[in-house]
Amino acid sequence: MGMILKKPEVRIVEFTLMHREIKVVDIEMDSFYHIKSIKNIYAAAHMPVGTMQKQDADQQALAKWWSRRTIPKGRTRLQEVLDIRNILTSKELLKDSFGLSLSDQYWLKPKDSSLSWEQIQFFDNDFSEQFGEMMLGNLEITECFDTMTPDVVLEGRLEKAWKIRDGKRVLIKGGSNPYQQEPLCEVIASGIAERLCIPHTKYTLLWEHEKPFSVCQDFITSETELVSAYHIMQSRKKPNDLSDYEFYLNCAEQLGVKNIREQTEKMIVLDFLIGNEDRHFNNFGLIRNAVTLEWIGAAPIFDCGTSLWYNTQESLIKPLSPNLPAKPFKKTHREQIKLVKDFSWVDLKALDGMKEEMEEILSQSPYISRERRAVLCDAFCQRAELLGEIVNEHTIKEDISQENDMIF
């Protein structure tokens, strides 16, 4: 007879969701760290954005918000880590880290615990890099590893880890086969944004074990937090007559964020130039002060790795294709760029020399052939020329419109 496996015992554990030192809401979770019920709400204003329905907490929305604080199933080496610990889901790795992140100030306080935010938060206190090194493939996966780390809440499919370098929190992020191109795309995109004076996160390149990684400093501090566009849009009911684009801008404006249209248009232009395929609603958003709840403004542009035909074979790269896929507001970049109303800030002369800079970055990688490098650089130049044509056409239409206004 075969061995009968017992189902793991499911226990209910009580926690308080904290926002820094503020008690927000009592919740009950099972032993797999799924939210099962919401109890007392202490500070509705401090609930995660998008998890309230009028004056009541939305348990489903809160559970969805919480579920994003876990490593997704597809991450390399995750299953091996779960197997060696004999656990079923990555949520169970959150036990020792209290769900702490380096993107916001929320954490889970066990019932009757005397822990304080200042004792455990990762912005100023050290954390273990052991788990991150294992997930990057730099350390052997063993049963005894420390999960008091922000790495257990890192979402996304690519291998990544937080590290402390010269007192600063930096994110190390890898690429995918066959070209391992995403880290290089991050560096190139930040170079383009720098030239065009677009607020962005600066990326540099790191080589470890003959593989490229992008490196960026955390732009969130112990008093600020990133709120994704997705959660911003969940905070209000969308009118039927508004597009996603106008609805997002309206939500931000109602929160008091200034220049949101201008900043979002800059993101659309950058994504058009680099052919970004995956600007979804969770990799851009707003920053707010976690203490005062005051909204500061748009987050600097980050996470541009899925661009510049990062996983496309050279013969299939069509930079002028009208069907080049885009997100999040339109399905193609040709359609999405039409949302931009003001191109007056675009100085394409600032991109002079960018092709050479791009060639130098790409030439560092043994995964990218000389032929591929030439195709990618030429494709970017074609995108820049296309943007120039769009800008000129827009300027002519604006001039005609102004002349007509003067006549009438």
Side-chain angles (χ1 to χ4, degrees):
M1 292 179 64
M3 182 175 64
I4 299 175
L5 296 176
K6 292 183 178 180
K7 290 184 178 180
E9 180 184 354
V10 178
R11 297 179 296 107
I12 300 299
V13 185
E14 295 183 24
F15 293 94
T16 300
L17 179 65
M18 306 288 293
H19 196 206
R20 291 174 57 89
E21 304 91 348
I22 295 174
K23 294 172 63 174
V24 180
V25 62
D26 287 337
I27 57 177
E28 289 185 335
M29 307 183 91
D30 64 23
S31 45
F32 303 113
Y33 283 77
H34 297 117
I35 295 176
K36 305 305 291 184
S37 66
I38 293 175
K39 297 296 185 181
N40 308 308
I41 300 177
Y42 302 104
H46 287 264
M47 285 286 288
V49 175
T51 62
M52 292 288 292
Q53 292 289 343
K54 296 182 179 180
Q55 298 301 314
D56 295 323
D58 185 330
Q59 182 177 326
Q60 185 177 0
L62 185 64
K64 193 169 184 178
W65 171 85
W66 174 252
S67 70
R68 295 194 66 85
R69 298 174 91 83
T70 50
I71 304 172
K73 290 181 179 180
R75 180 84 63 81
T76 305
R77 303 180 189 88
L78 175 62
Q79 193 57 53
E80 188 177 349
V81 166
L82 299 181
D83 289 344
I84 204 166
R85 275 283 181 97
N86 195 29
I87 56 180
L88 296 179
T89 73
S90 58
K91 276 190 176 70
E92 296 175 71
L93 295 171
L94 300 174
K95 178 182 178 181
D96 298 324
S97 72
F98 310 100
L100 285 162
S101 168
L102 279 170
S103 296
D104 63 32
Q105 321 297 327
Y106 289 99
W107 60 290
L108 285 182
K109 186 174 184 177
K111 185 181 180 182
D112 301 326
S113 170
S114 61
L115 282 174
S116 70
W117 162 255
E118 289 300 333
Q119 285 178 304
I120 61 173
Q121 51 96 357
F122 292 137
F123 293 94
D124 301 302
N125 298 312
D126 290 345
F127 53 81
S128 173
E129 296 184 8
Q130 179 189 13
F131 179 80
E133 288 292 301
M134 285 185 352
M135 292 299 287
L136 290 175
N138 296 332
L139 283 180
E140 181 183 354
I141 296 176
T142 59
E143 185 176 353
C144 297
F145 57 83
D146 190 349
T147 53
M148 185 56 179
T149 167
D151 293 331
V152 295
V153 301
L154 275 176
E155 56 185 296
R157 62 183 178 83
L158 294 176
E159 54 188 16
K160 62 190 72 172
W162 286 106
K163 295 181 182 293
I164 301 175
R165 296 293 180 264
D166 299 323
K168 297 179 174 61
R169 276 62 183 155
V170 298
L171 183 65
I172 312 293
K173 189 174 178 182
S176 62
N177 291 325
Y179 305 114
Q180 295 288 322
Q181 193 176 305
E182 291 95 332
L184 289 80
C185 292
E186 297 279 21
V187 176
I188 293 168
S190 68
I192 295 169
E194 180 72 24
R195 288 168 175 263
L196 293 177
C197 299
I198 298 174
H200 66 287
T201 302
K202 181 177 176 56
Y203 286 84
T204 57
L205 202 58
L206 170 71
W207 287 87
E208 283 190 347
H209 305 289
E210 300 182 343
K211 289 176 62 177
F213 294 86
S214 63
V215 183
C216 68
Q217 186 176 330
D218 191 5
F219 56 81
I220 296 302
T221 71
S222 60
E223 293 190 350
T224 62
E225 57 194 0
L226 173 66
V227 182
S228 72
Y230 172 80
H231 286 106
I232 297 295
M233 296 166 74
Q234 290 296 305
S235 65
R236 286 173 169 80
K237 183 178 175 65
K238 179 178 174 293
N240 293 331
D241 61 340
L242 275 188
S243 65
D244 285 344
Y245 180 61
E246 292 297 336
F247 179 56
Y248 171 65
L249 297 183
N250 282 4
C251 287
E253 287 168 354
Q254 288 180 38
L255 293 171
V257 176
K258 298 178 180 179
N259 302 322
I260 186 62
R261 185 180 295 274
E262 174 188 342
Q263 298 305 317
T264 308
E265 286 185 356
K266 288 182 176 181
M267 179 183 75
I268 290 172
V269 168
L270 177 63
D271 285 345
F272 179 89
L273 270 170
I274 62 178
N276 192 348
E277 299 176 21
D278 198 28
R279 178 69 66 199
H280 52 77
F281 286 110
N282 281 300
N283 66 5
F284 71 101
L286 307 178
I287 296 177
R288 75 170 178 178
N289 187 304
V291 179
T292 66
L293 302 185
E294 177 186 2
W295 292 92
I296 297 171
I301 294 174
F302 63 98
D303 200 2
C304 298
T306 53
S307 58
L308 296 168
W309 303 272
Y310 71 103
N311 64 351
T312 304
Q313 186 180 335
E314 293 90 292
S315 62
L316 300 178
I317 293 175
K318 310 294 182 186
L320 300 182
S321 169
N323 299 318
L324 190 65
K327 289 180 181 178
F329 305 115
K330 297 291 183 180
K331 293 183 178 180
T332 69
H333 281 288
R334 284 288 183 98
E335 287 299 312
Q336 191 158 266
I337 198 71
K338 293 177 183 178
L339 297 172
V340 178
K341 295 182 177 180
D342 179 18
F343 289 100
S344 63
W345 58 273
V346 178
D347 179 13
L348 290 175
K349 290 183 179 178
L351 296 179
D352 290 349
M354 190 62 224
K355 177 183 178 182
E356 290 73 22
E357 184 178 328
M358 185 174 168
E359 284 178 335
E360 192 279 327
I361 294 168
L362 294 173
S363 67
Q364 298 178 42
S365 176
Y367 301 95
I368 298 176
S369 67
R370 182 178 299 178
E371 177 192 6
R372 179 172 180 80
R373 188 165 75 236
V375 170
L376 291 174
C377 291
D378 182 61
F380 167 71
C381 291
Q382 291 185 56
R383 295 297 294 173
E385 289 177 7
L386 179 58
L387 177 61
E389 293 172 7
I390 292 170
V391 170
N392 289 336
E393 182 180 341
H394 184 271
T395 303
I396 292 170
K397 288 181 179 179
E398 285 287 298
D399 291 343
I400 293 173
S401 176
Q402 289 177 12
E403 289 176 4
N404 290 337
D405 288 342
M406 291 176 65
I407 293 172
F408 295 103

